[in-house]
């Protein structure tokens, strides 16, 4: 996959753009002032594979907690870069809490609510000055739901004067792009280097997002952060985000991504990290964890045994990855097949690094296991799941261990 030519932006030890792999980002939903719970969620997101984590910095207590959060993470050997998400009062918080300003790896500024009227430019300038002082990169993140109304009004007035005015939706998209590009130009004028600027223009509609980023990519060389804002809950949020981001990524657009899922009540925040990784991995852009191939099931597979085994193996592989990636180079590229009957089972199992073809309805109760295309053993009895998991563990150790 050829990435588009964008400027590289260093965020602590993570590089965004400049030919680097697409970076996975997430955001906490804890009260940042609660340092313990925020640090715990950041740790969980990082362990799931988030390479950048954004936190809300919305008031004095939140800003004051940032250095403590970073210290709590350091005690757990977690060095994931933290991004401060500022709205309305970021200029005041960065001024009042210099330890917070220094501890954060990047600032996120929304031009639509950095200040109103005559206050907008001075307050935006103040935040950029802090970024320059502490040598921090900035994401200028425009969101169509909080768009700078002065930019929109200006473009609407100009459009109304045309003999053939353009549709409102087109003007809205242009206002989002204009806000981002003009803000970036202003930041550069204030002394922030172009290679410390990331842009985002988030929309909640799939086609609008695609159109905006295609235009952005054609008009600038800034690193671009992708995300469908307010994507929604469950399958809707996953499908909408995948539909939008896959088109852009396939065109080489995008340097970092976040999946803005509404979590189920009490749900795991890390799901947005998993979805982001799986989009990149299924598209062949990056690999994060061994890929499990499994069939959907049919009338030949009336037992749910293969479904349970596929779920168990997939969960086990993802759980093991934080440790495996330290010990087993290349294990994230491994393919594991868990198939449910004889129709496609043997063939898919042979094509995977390691695979098992479980018996379907009416088939002989045996399960051949294939490693690198060769049948190595046939499992029987009540412990097929445990025995296959042990075979997978042994395969990882023998094929990916002891590499120099």
């Amino acid at each position: 996959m050829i990435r588009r030519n964008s400027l590289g932006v260093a965020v602590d030890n993570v590089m965004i753009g400049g030919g680097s792999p697409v970076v996975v980002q997430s955001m906490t939903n804890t009260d940042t002032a609660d340092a313990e719970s925020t640090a715990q969620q950041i740790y969980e997101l990082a362990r799931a594979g988030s390479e950048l984590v954004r936190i809300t910095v919305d008031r004095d207590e939140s800003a004051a907690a940032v250095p403590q959060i970073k210290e709590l993470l350091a005690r757990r050997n977690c060095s994931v870069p933290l991004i401060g998400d500022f709205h309305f009062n970021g200029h005041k918080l960065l001024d009042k809490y210099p330890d917070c300003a220094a501890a954060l790896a990047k600032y996120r500024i929304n031009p639509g609510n950095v200040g109103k009227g005559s206050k907008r430019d001075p307050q935006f300038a103040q935040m950029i000055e802090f970024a320059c002082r502490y040598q921090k990169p900035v994401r200028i993140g425009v969101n169509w739901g909080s768009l700078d109304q002065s930019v929109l009004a200006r473009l609407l007035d100009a459009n109304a004067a045309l003999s053939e005015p353009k549709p409102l939706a087109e003007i809205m998209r242009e206002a989002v792009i204009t806000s981002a590009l003009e803000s970036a130009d202003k930041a550069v004028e204030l002394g922030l280097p172009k290679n410390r600027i990331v842009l985002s223009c988030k929309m909640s509609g799939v086609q609008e997002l695609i159109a905006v980023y295609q235009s952005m990519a054609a008009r600038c060389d800034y690193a671009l952060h992708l995300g469908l804002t307010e994507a929604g809950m469950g399958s809707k949020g996953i499908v909408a985000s995948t539909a939008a981001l896959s088109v852009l990524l396939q065109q080489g657009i995008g340097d970092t991504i976040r999946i803005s899922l509404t979590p189920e009540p009490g749900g795991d925040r890390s799901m947005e990290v998993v979805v982001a990784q799986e989009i990149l991995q299924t598209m062949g852009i990056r690999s994060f964890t061994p890929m499990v191939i499994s069939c959907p099931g049919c009338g030949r597979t009336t037992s749910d045994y293969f479904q349970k085994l596929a779920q168990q193996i997939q969960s086990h592989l993802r759980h093991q990855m934080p440790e495996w990636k330290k010990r087993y180079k290349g294990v994230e590229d491994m393919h594991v097949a868990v198939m449910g009957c004889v129709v496609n089972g043997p063939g898919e199992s042979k094509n995977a690094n390691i695979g098992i073809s479980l018996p379907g309805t009416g088939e002989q109760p045996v399960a051949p296991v294939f490693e690198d295309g060769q049948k190595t053993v046939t499992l029987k009895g009540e412990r097929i799941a445990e025995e296959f998991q042990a075979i997978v563990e042994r395969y990882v150790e023998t094929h990916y261990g002891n590499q120099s």
Side-chain angles (χ1 to χ4, degrees):
M1 184 68 63
I2 299 174
R3 306 255 39 88
R4 75 177 197 85
N5 183 27
S6 61
L7 295 169
V9 179
V11 184
D12 283 357
N13 59 336
V14 176
M15 182 63 70
I16 298 174
S20 299
V22 179
V23 172
V24 172
Q25 182 173 317
S26 61
M27 185 176 183
T28 59
N29 61 355
T30 55
D31 180 358
T32 307
D34 183 347
E36 291 282 352
S37 63
T38 301
Q40 176 62 30
Q41 189 174 81
I42 292 168
Y43 178 78
E44 292 168 358
L45 290 167
R47 183 174 173 83
S50 185
E51 294 157 304
L52 300 171
V53 178
R54 184 157 49 109
I55 60 176
T56 298
V57 186
D58 59 346
R59 64 191 196 279
D60 290 69
E61 293 82 1
S62 299
V66 171
Q68 183 184 356
I69 291 168
K70 194 167 182 179
E71 174 60 28
L72 289 170
L73 292 170
R75 293 177 193 172
R76 304 182 74 169
N77 295 316
C78 179
S79 58
V80 63
L82 303 182
I83 301 165
D85 191 58
F86 294 101
H87 298 275
F88 309 111
N89 60 352
H91 60 293
K92 294 181 180 179
L93 295 175
L94 289 172
D95 182 44
K96 190 174 180 180
Y97 297 95
D99 288 346
C100 168
L104 292 169
K106 186 172 73 165
Y107 309 153
R108 188 274 175 121
I109 303 174
N110 184 340
N113 55 34
V114 74
K116 299 292 185 182
S118 62
K119 295 182 178 180
R120 180 199 179 279
D121 287 348
Q123 291 176 185
F124 178 82
Q126 192 173 353
M127 294 197 71
I128 297 300
E129 287 164 7
F130 283 117
C132 293
R133 181 186 307 174
Y134 293 100
Q135 298 184 330
K136 305 294 183 181
V138 169
R139 172 157 72 94
I140 296 174
V142 179
N143 191 307
W144 84 291
S146 53
L147 179 60
D148 186 339
Q149 294 302 301
S150 65
V151 174
L152 179 59
R154 189 178 83 223
L155 294 186
L156 286 172
D157 288 344
N159 186 58
L162 297 176
S163 57
E164 295 184 11
K166 299 175 182 177
L168 177 60
E170 185 176 341
I171 301 303
M172 175 71 81
R173 291 195 296 268
E174 181 58 31
V176 170
I177 296 167
T178 298
S179 178
L181 294 178
E182 289 184 351
S183 296
D185 289 343
K186 177 62 70 174
V188 172
E189 289 175 14
L190 292 166
L192 189 66
K194 290 186 70 176
N195 66 353
R196 291 220 298 267
I197 297 174
V198 180
L199 298 185
S200 67
C201 292
K202 292 194 173 183
M203 315 287 281
S204 59
V206 170
Q207 296 298 342
E208 287 81 5
L209 189 84
I210 292 171
V212 162
Y213 273 95
Q214 287 174 333
S215 181
M216 284 283 291
R219 291 162 63 174
C220 75
D221 59 357
Y222 291 108
L224 298 179
H225 169 74
L226 302 186
L228 186 75
T229 190
E230 289 92 41
M233 181 179 285
S235 60
K236 185 271 178 184
I238 293 172
V239 170
S241 294
T242 303
L245 271 58
S246 296
V247 171
L248 294 167
L249 291 167
Q250 186 67 25
Q251 295 173 358
I253 299 171
D255 302 290
T256 172
I257 67 172
R258 189 226 168 171
I259 308 302
S260 300
L261 294 179
T262 303
E264 302 287 344
D268 186 356
R269 188 67 167 181
S270 300
M271 177 54 67
E272 66 178 50
V273 179
V274 174
V275 174
Q277 290 181 331
E278 290 183 348
I279 290 172
L280 293 173
Q281 184 150 353
T282 54
M283 291 186 69
I285 295 173
R286 286 188 67 183
S287 295
F288 298 91
T289 189
M291 184 77 74
V292 176
I293 302 161
S294 59
C295 61
C298 64
R300 293 176 176 269
T301 56
T302 53
S303 168
D304 64 0
Y305 190 86
F306 89 94
Q307 300 164 354
K308 292 178 179 177
L309 180 56
Q311 183 181 51
Q312 177 181 326
I313 291 296
Q314 184 164 285
S315 176
H316 177 71
L317 294 175
R318 182 165 285 280
H319 179 75
Q320 293 291 95
M321 271 308 296
E323 296 304 319
W324 279 1
K325 68 182 180 182
K326 301 175 186 175
R327 299 165 51 195
Y328 302 124
K329 183 179 179 182
V331 68
E332 64 274 9
D333 294 317
M334 182 174 72
H335 285 192
V336 180
V338 180
M339 303 299 292
C341 79
V342 74
V343 174
N344 294 316
E348 288 284 4
S349 297
K350 289 178 183 177
N351 289 331
N353 296 104
I354 182 168
I356 185 170
S357 180
L358 294 162
T361 305
E363 293 178 15
Q364 187 177 356
V366 296
V369 175
F370 298 83
E371 298 180 40
D372 298 322
Q374 302 297 317
K375 186 170 79 170
T376 56
V377 67
T378 299
L379 303 181
K380 304 177 183 179
E382 300 298 321
R383 292 182 51 81
I384 287 177
E386 293 85 348
E387 291 173 2
F388 181 65
Q389 185 166 305
I391 292 171
V392 172
E393 292 273 1
R394 186 173 66 247
Y395 184 95
V396 171
E397 174 64 36
T398 56
H399 287 72
Y400 300 100
N402 300 318
Q403 298 186 37
S404 57

